[in-house]
Amino acid sequence: MLRFDERPQHVLGGNSGTQFLVARNQFENPQDAFVSLGDRTRDYYGEHAGGISLDLRWKQELSSEHEALFEKLAGRANAELKWEA
């Protein structure tokens, strides 16, 4: 399942990026699967090698204001799950 995009799938949920990766290998034209990617994700998933990989885009995309808000609201609850990559 780590290379989920290489086998036939019936994707019912998940984000459009996941659906695009599956459609890219299952359809000659991914547009046939009615998958559309927004401006923010088009380049990332268009160049994605497939399968499951660590996505750290949030580190560049998360504003300092939103990071501070997250720490204020969930920092203590999230402390044991926090990791550095």
Side-chain angles (χ1 to χ4, degrees):
M1 286 307 299
L2 291 177
R3 306 263 335 146
F4 68 91
D5 57 316
E6 293 178 358
R7 300 195 182 270
Q9 304 287 336
H10 185 70
V11 181
L12 296 175
N15 64 41
S16 59
T18 302
Q19 293 179 14
F20 173 81
L21 293 176
V22 171
R24 182 174 64 184
N25 286 348
Q26 290 184 3
F27 295 89
E28 190 171 317
N29 179 0
Q31 297 302 322
D32 292 341
F34 302 102
V35 177
S36 61
L37 298 174
D39 292 339
R40 186 179 74 81
T41 59
R42 186 173 295 113
D43 289 340
Y44 177 78
Y45 286 105
E47 297 173 10
H48 198 284
I52 297 172
S53 62
L54 184 59
D55 181 358
L56 296 175
R57 288 177 296 158
W58 64 270
K59 286 189 168 195
Q60 287 80 41
E61 296 174 355
L62 188 66
S63 70
S64 56
E65 293 83 12
H66 287 138
E67 183 176 6
L69 179 61
F70 178 84
E71 285 298 323
K72 178 180 177 182
L73 297 175
R76 186 181 308 169
N78 190 59
E80 68 182 63
L81 304 174
K82 193 171 186 176
W83 54 274
E84 298 297 325

